[in-house]
Amino acid sequence: EGFDTLPEPALPDGFTASLRPYQRAGVAWLLFLRTAGLGAVLADDMGLGKTVQTIAALRGRSLVVCPKSVLFNWADELAKFRAGLRVSVFHGPKRALDPAADVTLCTYATMLRDGARLAKETWDTLVLDEAQTIKNPDSQTARAAYALPAAFRVALSGTPVENRLDELWSVVHFTNPGLLGGRSAFAERLAGPLERGDVRARDELRARVKP
């Protein structure tokens, strides 16, 4: 109510990246949603800086779940742009959680194996990178992600929908449970009619996910 524009983001102390205008707007949007108690699906295309925008928006104790291929890239980017944060890589056979770490990094495979352990922790921010990994809501990986508690959830994906609208439901269910209703209700009320060309269903879905 009374919303006019996104407030200018308060970038964290020690943040060294120079943000492009659209990236600065992205950070403002992430922080606004956090303040509003909502999760975010940041779906910029590959190469447009989803990682750096997210690093600028990290607050409190954070957990980042990502593919193994980018695990150490996250560590490098954090060291480069927010050197003041204590970063722990929770990976490998001798992995151990560092309770003093500002940011904990782990892979989807580790989240799946150690989901119960991670769910016992208190996370202020939870980030899924390449969030299309949980596109199948019936998968064990998706269920492990849903079970992790966090005050603010962020899903990063250049392709939040690849084949079916059910994939979008899964990602939005992670960030904002209940926003699209239950899975069967979503299929009946929105996904099914939209796939048959129902303009009303298209407009309703757009209105729900646009913010």
Side-chain angles (χ1 to χ4, degrees):
E1 222 174 278
F3 177 83
D4 293 315
T5 188
L6 290 168
E8 185 67 16
L11 298 178
D13 293 339
F15 181 71
T16 59
S18 178
L19 296 175
R20 296 173 180 174
Y22 75 87
Q23 293 172 332
R24 197 173 184 90
V27 175
W29 172 75
L30 288 168
L31 295 176
F32 175 79
L33 288 179
R34 180 186 191 116
T35 301
L38 298 168
V41 181
L42 181 57
D44 287 345
D45 286 336
M46 184 182 296
L48 293 185
K50 292 188 290 294
T51 301
V52 72
Q53 290 175 71
T54 305
I55 287 172
L58 290 179
R59 300 290 187 273
R61 190 182 183 207
S62 303
L63 174 65
V64 177
V65 183
C66 62
K68 183 180 177 181
S69 59
V70 297
L71 184 67
F72 293 100
N73 179 67
W74 268 94
D76 291 344
E77 296 280 281
L78 283 158
K80 180 178 179 182
F81 297 127
R82 291 191 69 178
L85 294 181
R86 179 166 173 164
V87 178
S88 172
V89 178
F90 184 59
H91 180 66
K94 296 182 179 180
R95 61 186 176 275
L97 280 175
D98 179 357
D102 299 299
V103 184
T104 299
L105 306 173
C106 79
T107 65
Y108 281 96
T110 299
M111 178 192 70
L112 186 57
R113 283 193 293 266
D114 289 13
R117 185 178 180 190
L118 292 169
K120 292 178 181 178
E121 301 294 318
T122 299
W123 306 106
D124 294 294
T125 305
L126 171 59
V127 179
L128 295 191
D129 192 12
E130 300 292 345
Q132 67 272 15
T133 303
I134 66 161
K135 66 183 181 180
N136 177 3
D138 291 324
S139 69
Q140 290 182 317
T141 301
R143 290 175 179 177
Y146 300 155
L148 292 176
F152 179 49
R153 293 166 172 250
V154 181
L156 309 179
S157 176
T159 53
V161 183
E162 293 181 317
N163 300 300
R164 299 175 297 110
L165 283 172
D166 203 37
E167 299 167 1
L168 179 64
W169 182 88
S170 184
V171 174
V172 173
H173 181 67
F174 166 75
T175 55
N176 293 290
L179 183 67
L180 295 179
R183 187 179 172 191
S184 59
F186 173 73
E188 181 180 338
R189 190 183 71 252
L190 293 174
L194 196 154
E195 288 164 357
R196 294 191 294 271
D198 187 324
V199 174
R200 178 206 57 79
R202 179 201 65 194
D203 292 345
E204 182 179 344
L205 178 60
R206 177 181 290 158
R208 282 176 179 267
V209 300
K210 184 179 180 180

